[in-house]
Amino acid sequence: WMKRRKIRRKLKKEYQLKLSNFNDIENVDAIIYAVPHDKYKHLTEQDLLSKIKGHKSKKIIMDIKKTLCLSPDKTDFIYWTL
């Protein structure tokens, strides 16, 4: 718990970034899923797309390590992975 608190303070002080809980996120430009935490592996396409603002075809999900179970052949959003 203390480690997370120190990380949050450092991010805010050095980079002006604020970490948020997933449930508190809304109207973002894109979602970048970079670290495969077990807590988020269950999320569905709809869970993720509901957090991104704008028209479906303009929504972007970046799954850096390709751990989410999304359909890359879908055309209603942009799905990017390494």
Side-chain angles (χ1 to χ4, degrees), residues 9 17 26 30 37 45 50 53-54 57 61 74 77 82:
R9 275 195 231 141
L17 293 175
E26 58 183 26
H37 292 291
E45 287 176 16
S50 69
K53 65 182 175 184
S57 65
I61 298 173
K74 288 231 173 200
F77 64 95
L82 290 177

Side-chain angles (χ1 to χ4, degrees), residues 12-32:
K12 187 173 184 178
K13 183 179 179 181
E14 292 184 26
Y15 305 105
Q16 294 76 48
L17 293 175
K18 179 186 171 205
L19 296 178
S20 300
N21 291 320
F22 184 78
N23 292 335
D24 297 334
I25 295 171
E26 58 183 26
N27 294 319
V28 295
D29 294 318
I31 291 181
I32 301 171

